């Protein structure tokens, strides 16, 4: 998982927190990870699913080679936690 992301690459770049779920449409456990992350969304937490076929360039830019990968990012773009797998 990356240690830093450019917040401008994702939704709500001004939100205090960002949860990104890197997924693939062919991955069953990805759906569960994405749904679980969506439960975190509120005024302070933006959540975005990044599916590999729709946003291959973001998967490549951030070195995502396994899905699901979940990253929790602060306002400065620093990845504070990451989780790979179901």
């Amino acid at each position: 998982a990356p240690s830093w992301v450019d917040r401008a690459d994702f939704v709500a770049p001004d939100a205090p927190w960002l949860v990104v779920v890197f997924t693939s449409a062919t991955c069953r456990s990805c759906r569960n990870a994405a749904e679980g992350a969506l439960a975190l969304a509120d005024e302070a937490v933006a959540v975005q699913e990044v599916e590999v076929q729709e946003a291959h360039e973001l998967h490549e830019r951030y070195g995502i080679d396994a899905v699901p990968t979940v990253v929790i990012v602060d306002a400065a773009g620093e990845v504070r936690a990451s989780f790979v797998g179901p």
Side-chain angles (χ1 to χ4, degrees), residues 39-59:
L40 301 172
D42 67 15
E43 297 168 0
V45 181
V47 178
Q48 181 175 353
E49 179 179 356
V50 180
E51 198 278 328
V52 67
Q53 295 300 325
E54 295 175 2
H56 183 70
E57 68 284 349
L58 286 178
H59 279 246

Side-chain angles (χ1 to χ4, degrees), residues 1 7 9 11-12 15 28 31 41 46 48 50 54 57 59 77 84:
R7 290 291 304 266
D9 287 341
V11 297
R28 283 189 203 174
R31 178 64 22 227
Q48 181 175 353
V50 180
E54 295 175 2
E57 68 284 349
H59 279 246
V84 178

Side-chain angles (χ1 to χ4, degrees), residues 4-5 7 13 15-18 72-80:
W4 180 87
V5 301
R7 290 291 304 266
W17 292 97
L18 170 67
I72 300 172
V73 184
D74 68 14
E78 184 177 342
V79 174
R80 296 301 187 124

Side-chain angles (χ1 to χ4, degrees), residues 21 23-36 49 67-68 85-86:
V21 185
T23 66
S24 170
T26 61
C27 165
R28 283 189 203 174
S29 59
C30 291
R31 178 64 22 227
N32 291 336
E35 288 174 1
E49 179 179 356
V67 291

